[in-house]
Amino acid sequence: MIPVLSAFPWLAAASLASGVVSLGFMRYLWPYRDRLGGRFFLATIGCEALWSLSYGLALFVFDPALREAFEVPIWTAINFIGVFFLAFALEYTGRGHLLRSKAMGSVVALQVLHTLLVVTNPLHRIAWSDYAVEPTYGLATVVYAHQPWLFVNAAGFILMIAVASFLLADTVFSYGPLYRTQAAAIAVSPIFPGVPFLLWLAEVGATPPLNLTPLLFPVHLAFDMYAFFSRDMFEMVPAARRVADRAAIDNLGSAVVIVDSGRRIIECNDEAGRLLGTARSDALGRRLETHLDDVDLDGDNEPITRRRAGGKRTYAVATSPLTDATGAAVGDTIVFQDITEERRREQRLAVLNRVLRHNLRNDLNVVSGYLEMAEARVDDEDVRRMLDVAAENTAGVVELGEKARYIERALDAGVDDPDPVELRPLLEEITEGLSETEPDAGGRSETEPAAEITVDVDDDVTVRAAPSLLEAVFENLLENAIEHDPSETPTVTVRTAEDEAEPGFLAVEVADDGPGIPEHELAVLDETGETALEHGSGLGLWIVTWGVDSLGGAVDFEVGASGTNVVLRLPTASETAGSRGDGVAERDNP
């Protein structure tokens, strides 16, 4: 040993410096004491400070009795470092509920017992014996015989540190890069002071009396500081992710069952327990077939029906495989969505739709026939006019029913995969029929043109859509513009609007010079239903809004003094509606 170094109390100075660094770190951590894990992490660093400062001061005390008294704060710090670090790991990783468990209470009680035995060791010598001061490098190092209880004490301390490090390491592997760096830094940091402590406990080394553990605390703190200052240790807490994962299952509203590769239930929520007909805790560990033998994890599943309190319920079944980081299959997630009310509504609507459409059409056709016969046999002009009005209204209702059937078919076609559709030929085909003469259309004579429609769209303009649904949208939009224009020759222009376009979408503007769509009819399109006092006069605007939405686009209505401008945004790229841009996806209709 170099004389200068042997004369200088470097071990004591390093231990005291380590304590000062720990206290300084605690000062920076203090504002974060109320964060998840913050108070326990502070307590852990506090115990390290107590250990380092007590050991550093003890090295200057050569009186055996007083020197032995310094073992009390040293071992108190050792005993409770493990407790606080374990508590930190539990709360930091989202397992805070375990802090109030009987197991954690037993751990704390055991460490209190260890501390009491250390305090009273001079009376019974259970922890150590033959305590003596043996100066080393001019410092009051000690030697004593390690009794079995001391190893039990140390083993508990090491075990708690190991469990806490495992919990943090589990965060590294479970939650990906979001929490990986800070959790890894904190999990690895106990290794550096842990190794010299084990060497001291096993009395390995050239100078067994020297316990170098406090000297390695700065290395341990360096990792902790890195996690705190560089990785936002208390800003991104894994507990939030763990709680979110649990809440995502519990609050989903649907039954969720997770099975391993052996088809054993390893997780489920309370809703799944009600579906399975057993408590959640009783379902865990059982094979899926015990409760659900009609679920195929490898294929498509038809809806299943189960009887529960309150009646029969129907569930749609969706399965998805679970894979680990290497891509290997480790299990499956099964989601059971209660579609009972949806099925009932669909069934009721189907029955009402079929009955009303069929019976209404047949009965009204009979009424229309009798009205024609009655009109032919009546000479009174007033009665004839009344019969004409009745016949006209009857024909309008029949036409409305047919239009509803047409809308249903068009919307059903819209669920198919979209195809590239050349827009100009489609528009020209629609406008050709609408521009021809129509007898008694809006008061216009048979010899006058029904409308003047201009198509200003390039030949190469293509959108992706179901052709029949796209045709229905434009046909109803143009019909609406013509029918509600009282002028002799309504004028409608269809053109592309480059300034209204968005990435991946084509903007098409339909402008007319009519009186404009009434405000109450546009307002209805925003509502979930129609009321008796405020309703639309027909189905044309509904198919425009429903149709464009089904195509994955958006529609805006602008009514001014010179007429109505309707801007349609239709997808041009291969992506479907689910991948459209945010600007269109969040646009309200109208």
Side-chain angles (χ1 to χ4, degrees), residues 251-581:
N251 301 335
L252 186 61
S254 298
V256 179
V257 177
I258 302 176
V259 298
D260 61 14
S261 56
R263 299 175 67 91
R264 290 181 177 82
I265 299 174
I266 58 174
E267 184 60 282
C268 64
N269 57 8
D270 293 336
E271 184 65 24
R274 287 187 281 272
L275 169 64
L276 301 176
T278 185
R280 172 179 172 271
S281 57
D282 294 335
L284 298 179
R286 295 187 178 184
R287 292 186 64 83
L288 180 65
E289 292 80 1
T290 305
H291 302 283
L292 298 165
D293 57 356
D294 49 354
V295 174
D296 182 8
L297 297 179
D298 301 320
D300 295 332
N301 288 276
E302 294 294 328
I304 64 173
T305 301
R306 291 291 185 274
R307 288 197 171 275
R308 284 177 45 181
K312 186 170 63 173
R313 312 298 295 181
T314 303
Y315 298 89
V317 183
T319 64
S320 59
L322 288 174
T323 57
D324 60 15
T326 64
V330 296
D332 292 89
T333 299
I334 313 167
V335 179
F336 301 87
Q337 184 179 2
D338 191 337
I339 58 172
T340 306
E341 297 304 322
E342 180 182 342
R343 278 295 181 92
R344 287 174 181 170
R345 284 194 297 270
E346 288 178 354
Q347 187 179 45
R348 292 166 185 167
L349 287 173
V351 171
L352 290 173
N353 185 29
R354 184 174 64 252
V355 171
L356 286 176
R357 191 169 59 200
H358 181 269
N359 291 6
L360 194 64
R361 183 177 67 249
N362 290 346
D363 291 346
L364 286 178
N365 284 334
V366 173
V367 171
S368 179
Y370 276 113
L371 285 173
E372 289 180 6
M373 289 188 292
E375 186 178 1
R377 298 180 183 183
V378 172
D379 295 328
D380 190 311
E381 289 298 325
D382 291 335
V383 175
R384 276 179 170 274
R385 281 194 296 270
M386 287 187 286
L387 291 174
D388 283 340
V389 173
E392 184 179 348
N393 288 340
T394 300
V397 174
V398 172
E399 182 183 354
L400 189 63
E402 292 299 324
K403 194 163 192 175
R405 185 181 182 186
Y406 165 65
I407 289 175
E408 182 182 15
R409 290 176 176 175
L411 290 175
D412 286 342
V415 301
D416 298 333
D417 291 336
D419 296 317
V421 178
E422 294 182 355
L423 191 57
R424 186 177 181 86
L426 181 139
L427 291 172
E428 289 177 343
E429 183 179 349
I430 296 172
T431 58
E432 184 178 351
L434 295 176
S435 298
E436 294 174 353
T437 58
E438 292 184 358
D440 300 324
R444 292 177 287 276
S445 69
E446 297 184 13
T447 59
E448 292 175 334
E452 181 181 322
I453 304 176
T454 303
V455 177
D456 185 12
V457 177
D458 293 339
D459 293 335
D460 59 348
V461 171
T462 303
V463 297
R464 293 193 64 85
S468 58
L469 183 55
L470 186 64
E471 179 181 359
V473 167
F474 278 107
E475 187 173 32
N476 279 270
L477 192 57
L478 293 172
E479 280 184 355
N480 187 79
I482 295 171
E483 291 177 2
H484 294 85
D485 191 336
S487 64
E488 293 185 354
T489 307
T491 301
V492 185
T493 301
V494 184
R495 57 176 172 265
T496 54
E498 299 295 339
D499 56 333
E500 299 282 353
E502 298 177 6
F505 290 83
L506 172 72
V508 181
E509 182 181 16
V510 179
D512 65 58
D513 58 354
I517 303 173
E519 183 179 348
H520 71 272
E521 294 206 18
L522 292 178
V524 168
L525 300 177
D526 272 337
E527 304 297 330
T528 56
E530 296 189 73
T531 67
L533 297 178
E534 184 176 77
H535 59 276
S537 60
L539 296 174
L541 294 181
W542 283 111
I543 190 164
V544 172
T545 53
W546 291 340
V548 171
D549 184 66
S550 296
L551 293 173
V555 57
D556 287 325
F557 295 89
E558 299 176 2
V559 179
S562 58
T564 301
N565 283 2
V566 183
V567 178
L568 308 176
R569 292 174 179 82
L570 303 171
T572 59
S574 58
E575 288 78 12
T576 58
S579 62
R580 62 182 181 266

Side-chain angles (χ1 to χ4, degrees), residues 17-221:
S18 178
V20 171
V21 172
S22 298
L23 291 176
F25 190 32
M26 288 181 65
R27 177 180 177 276
Y28 283 103
L29 287 175
W30 186 254
Y32 296 87
R33 62 190 180 279
D34 293 328
R35 303 290 179 89
L36 286 176
R39 51 183 175 160
F40 296 118
F41 195 73
L42 269 168
T44 302
I45 304 301
C47 287
E48 294 176 2
L50 177 62
W51 185 351
S52 299
L53 294 173
S54 299
Y55 187 66
L57 293 174
L59 291 174
F60 293 103
V61 178
F62 289 87
D63 179 77
L66 183 58
R67 178 65 176 81
E68 189 171 6
F70 271 91
E71 299 295 338
V72 173
I74 291 173
W75 278 96
T76 299
I78 292 173
N79 289 336
F80 285 96
I81 279 180
V83 173
F84 291 131
F85 190 58
L86 177 59
F88 158 74
L90 289 172
E91 191 170 70
Y92 190 70
T93 60
R95 300 174 174 88
H97 62 283
L98 296 177
L99 296 176
R100 296 175 292 277
S101 65
K102 292 181 179 179
M104 192 64 183
S106 300
V107 169
V108 174
L110 182 60
Q111 295 308 100
V112 171
L113 175 61
H114 286 327
T115 304
L116 290 176
L117 290 176
V118 169
V119 172
T120 59
N121 187 71
L123 302 177
H124 48 68
R125 300 299 177 184
I126 292 178
W128 61 77
S129 60
D130 302 328
Y131 194 90
V133 176
E134 184 176 301
T136 303
Y137 303 138
L139 296 173
T141 57
V142 295
V143 292
Y144 49 79
H146 297 175
Q147 298 301 321
W149 192 268
L150 187 68
F151 290 99
V152 173
N153 191 348
F157 158 71
I158 295 169
L159 180 62
M160 285 184 286
I161 297 295
V163 170
S165 298
F166 173 80
L167 294 176
L168 293 167
D170 176 67
T171 299
V172 173
F173 294 108
S174 299
Y175 292 152
L178 186 58
Y179 311 103
R180 179 171 294 169
T181 306
Q182 68 264 35
I186 302 169
V188 170
S189 65
I191 295 176
F192 298 96
V195 171
F197 179 79
L198 290 174
L199 293 176
W200 170 83
L201 188 66
E203 298 183 320
V204 174
T207 52
L210 291 179
N211 186 346
L212 302 180
T213 304
L215 275 66
L216 273 296
F217 280 147
V219 180
H220 158 71
L221 291 175

Side-chain angles (χ1 to χ4, degrees), residues 231-254:
R231 305 304 303 177
D232 298 324
M233 172 177 162
F234 289 112
E235 298 295 337
M236 296 190 300
V237 181
R241 172 67 179 271
R242 186 176 181 85
V243 171
D245 288 348
R246 181 70 256 175
I249 296 178
D250 291 339
N251 301 335
L252 186 61
S254 298

